[in-house]
């Protein structure tokens, strides 16, 4: 059973075991890198279910446009995905952008792309809860 939050040493050992069993993606295949990334997140103790679905959605979209290699990812490709996502609730969209951005950061760290093209995507702000403050007169009336 995977610990909820493994230590960095445990995570490194799991990563080594994962690569020994499955092989490290040596190709530029975008689907292989998505699968590897989701697997690594799960090895680190994350469930990574909804994020995996979001990345699979991105992968399907890009595959339909002919983008199948990590080296083919560009700002235009990511912006096209963003344009297709209109009509989604702002919180859902923020979650999509976050999952995509973390994956693209992974590709940058692996040296497969030069920069994260998702940095251009506008992320809706979280709404800030502002409590109602009763006036002294309202408090007197309540109590």
């Amino acid at each position: 059973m995977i610990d909820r939050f493994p230590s960095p040493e445990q995570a490194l050992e799991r990563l080594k075991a994962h690569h020994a069993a499955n092989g490290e993606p040596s190709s530029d295949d975008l689907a292989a890198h998505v699968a590897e990334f989701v697997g690594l997140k799960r090895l680190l103790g994350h469930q990574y279910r909804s994020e995996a679905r979001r990345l699979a959605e991105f992968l399907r979209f890009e595959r339909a446009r002919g983008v199948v290699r990590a080296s083919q990812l560009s700002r235009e490709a990511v912006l096209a995905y963003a344009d297709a996502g209109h009509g989604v609730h702002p919180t859902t969209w923020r979650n999509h952008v976050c999952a995509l951005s973390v994956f693209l950061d992974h590709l940058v760290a692996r040296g497969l792309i030069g920069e994260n093209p998702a940095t251009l995507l506008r992320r809706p702000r979280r709404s800030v809860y502002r409590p109602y403050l009763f006036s002294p007169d309202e408090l007197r009336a309540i109590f």
Side-chain angles (χ1 to χ4, degrees), residues 87-97 122-127:
V88 177
H89 190 273
T91 302
T92 303
W93 179 244
R94 186 175 47 249
N95 292 338
H96 277 268
V97 172
R122 196 173 56 164
R123 298 167 193 201
R125 292 181 162 215
R126 286 191 164 149
S127 60

Side-chain angles (χ1 to χ4, degrees), residues 71-86:
S71 60
Q72 292 174 313
L73 284 176
S74 64
R75 288 181 174 169
E76 292 77 21
V78 174
L79 289 173
Y81 176 71
D83 287 341
H86 290 292

